[in-house]
Amino acid sequence: MQSRNNQPKYYMLMEHLKEEILMGRIMPGEQIPSENTLTETHKLSRHTVRKAISMLVNEGYLYTEHGRGTFCLSRSSKRNDSKNIGVIMTYISEYIFPRVIEGIERVLSNNKYSIILKNTSNILNNEALYFEDLLSKDIEGLIIEPTKSALFSNNLKFYEAFDKHNIPYVFLHGDYRELEGKSKVVLDDVAGMYSVVEYLAKLGHKNIVGIFKADDTQGIDRHRGYAKALTDTGLPYDPDSVIWYHTEEQEIKPFAIIKQMLEEKRNIDAIACYNDEIAFKMFPLLNKLGLKVPDDISITGFDDSFLSENCPVKLTTVSHPKEVLGEEAAKILLQLINDKNYKNNPIQKIIIPKLIIKDSCRKR
């Protein structure tokens, strides 16, 4: 084992063994490799190995029985009585997330639980760091808004670790396709976007551009609703009328492509946006290009956020019962915590959103 980043070798071994324990590769009651084995495997002195083991004993990860060896200590009793819940969100900005967290906190605080809140900024490396941190803490369960849920994630290994340690979790807003059978609270994003596009079609719009986020399941499902509504209303689906963007592109790509389309005189009579935030930021661009909403072009959002009320024209959007989603996620997690067989009894709740008609669309 080579020293790196100026870390002592005993510390590196200690971190390696801790990771094996936290990830469930060494389970409670299981004996760790002997001092001789660790010495030979990692090419360390016996003194270095003993120091690493001693640190883990002091931290409550291991215990030693004279004449038998060193074993992984169960931390489940401390976890089960901690009254701590981890909440991982992709963002905690003013957009919609404070009210979601309010809903979670209301239910949990009424049941004497405290929240450990983490914000990934929709960055997978951040999510991994927070998962590692929460595995080392005494928590009874987790509410997780998954990071980039439409993409394959190396962080799926942490969900295996939570399962091995009997730490229940509830997905919020989306989930990974590989974990579709787990407990979750989500909006029916397909139905929500369907209602928007159907409404636009009934108003006579025939050239509806859709803007969707490519790296989360909400974006994928909202696109499905868009495509289905076009088909059901007799409008053609044109891939060139769909704009996909990833998290890192959200400030530039949707607006640059809309600008290009309009400057090329593409026939566009409506823009169905992934969310209110994209729609809100579309107004200055359309104004700069000399287009008025809704006289020249209709525009819709999704989430019924405060932004929908603060656009130059009040935005037709789709409801997002933020506090209700948070409350439901917390209630489900408490049910899982009290169910010893929770892994075989997943609870899934799908909330149907409603179309909120305001002033940003007109008949064509």
Side-chain angles (χ1 to χ4, degrees):
M1 178 175 286
Q2 298 297 314
S3 179
R4 61 180 182 274
N5 298 329
N6 297 319
Q7 290 180 337
K9 291 182 179 180
Y10 72 84
Y11 184 84
M12 292 172 61
L13 177 61
M14 185 268 295
E15 286 290 295
H16 167 72
L17 291 173
K18 184 191 287 188
E19 180 182 339
E20 294 292 288
I21 293 167
L22 293 177
M23 296 305 293
R25 293 188 280 266
I26 299 176
M27 294 299 293
E30 186 177 334
Q31 186 174 9
I32 70 168
S34 67
E35 288 184 7
N36 285 339
T37 300
L38 291 171
T39 298
E40 294 173 7
T41 301
H42 298 285
K43 296 181 172 49
L44 299 172
S45 69
R46 187 176 293 273
H47 172 75
T48 298
V49 170
R50 286 179 176 171
K51 189 168 183 178
I53 291 173
S54 175
M55 291 178 69
L56 289 171
V57 170
N58 290 336
E59 289 187 20
Y61 289 96
L62 298 175
Y63 68 96
T64 300
E65 291 188 3
H66 184 69
R68 291 192 64 225
T70 304
F71 300 83
C72 178
L73 182 65
S74 174
R75 299 168 61 231
S76 61
S77 59
K78 288 180 68 178
R79 282 197 181 106
N80 294 342
D81 298 327
S82 71
K83 288 293 183 179
N84 290 324
I85 299 295
V87 176
I88 296 185
M89 305 293 286
T90 56
Y91 299 99
I92 53 174
S93 66
E94 69 281 0
Y95 178 52
I96 60 172
F97 300 98
R99 290 182 60 191
V100 174
I101 294 166
E102 282 176 23
I104 294 171
E105 194 164 30
R106 184 180 301 112
V107 171
L108 293 181
S109 62
N110 287 342
N111 287 273
K112 311 301 182 187
Y113 281 88
S114 298
I115 287 176
I116 301 173
L117 180 62
K118 304 289 185 180
N119 167 31
T120 69
S121 299
N122 213 34
I123 297 172
L124 287 166
N125 285 343
N126 289 349
E127 185 183 61
L129 289 172
Y130 296 144
F131 281 158
E132 289 174 2
D133 180 54
L134 289 169
L135 278 167
S136 71
K137 288 181 164 46
D138 295 323
I139 57 169
E140 293 190 40
L142 288 159
I143 295 172
I144 303 168
E145 183 184 35
T147 294
K148 295 185 177 177
S149 53
L151 307 181
F152 176 79
S153 172
N154 286 326
N155 293 342
L156 294 177
K157 62 188 177 185
F158 291 105
Y159 295 100
E160 295 178 16
F162 294 135
D163 286 339
K164 287 180 179 179
H165 289 296
N166 294 312
I167 301 173
Y169 51 88
V170 177
F171 286 120
L172 180 65
H173 286 145
D175 60 5
Y176 294 103
R177 298 307 184 200
E178 296 88 344
L179 299 172
E180 281 185 330
K182 299 293 185 177
S183 295
K184 63 182 177 182
V185 180
V186 295
L187 281 182
D188 189 333
D189 288 295
V190 175
M193 187 57 72
Y194 184 100
S195 68
V196 164
V197 177
E198 181 186 47
Y199 171 68
L200 289 170
K202 287 180 178 179
L203 287 177
H205 298 81
K206 298 187 182 304
N207 300 285
I208 305 168
V209 169
I211 302 176
F212 304 102
K213 200 157 180 276
D215 54 17
D216 67 36
T217 52
Q218 295 108 298
I220 303 301
D221 286 342
R222 290 175 192 182
H223 171 258
R224 285 174 54 206
Y226 165 88
K228 188 173 189 303
L230 289 177
T231 300
D232 289 353
T233 56
L235 295 175
Y237 174 87
D238 179 4
D240 291 334
S241 292
V242 176
I243 300 169
W244 292 100
Y245 70 92
H246 287 76
T247 298
E248 297 77 10
E249 304 169 318
Q250 62 188 356
E251 297 299 327
I252 297 174
K253 185 177 178 180
F255 312 102
I257 295 180
I258 287 292
K259 182 174 183 289
Q260 180 182 350
M261 286 179 169
L262 292 171
E263 288 178 341
E264 292 174 352
K265 306 300 181 184
R266 279 278 303 274
N267 189 12
I268 301 171
D269 51 24
I271 305 173
C273 297
Y274 166 75
N275 62 14
D276 292 348
E277 193 169 18
I278 294 290
F280 181 81
K281 293 177 179 178
M282 196 64 67
F283 276 85
L285 171 63
L286 297 175
N287 184 60
K288 188 175 180 180
L289 294 173
L291 296 173
K292 293 184 178 180
V293 177
D295 294 345
D296 301 314
I297 191 168
S298 296
I299 188 168
T300 62
F302 200 117
D303 289 331
D304 194 24
S305 70
F306 74 97
L307 292 176
S308 69
E309 288 290 313
N310 288 280
C311 290
V313 175
K314 290 185 178 181
L315 187 67
T316 291
T317 185
V318 175
S319 67
H320 186 143
K322 306 157 192 68
E323 291 182 40
V324 171
L325 270 108
E327 290 171 355
E328 290 297 326
K331 289 175 184 177
I332 289 173
L333 183 59
L334 293 178
Q335 291 182 59
L336 299 181
I337 289 171
N338 292 313
D339 181 1
K340 292 182 179 179
N341 195 32
Y342 77 89
K343 292 175 193 172
N344 295 319
N345 297 313
I347 303 170
Q348 299 188 343
K349 187 173 184 65
I350 300 173
I351 296 175
I352 308 297
K354 296 179 181 179
L355 178 66
I356 309 294
I357 298 173
K358 298 181 185 176
D359 304 326
S360 62
C361 305
R362 55 158 286 186
K363 288 185 178 181
R364 300 295 167 197

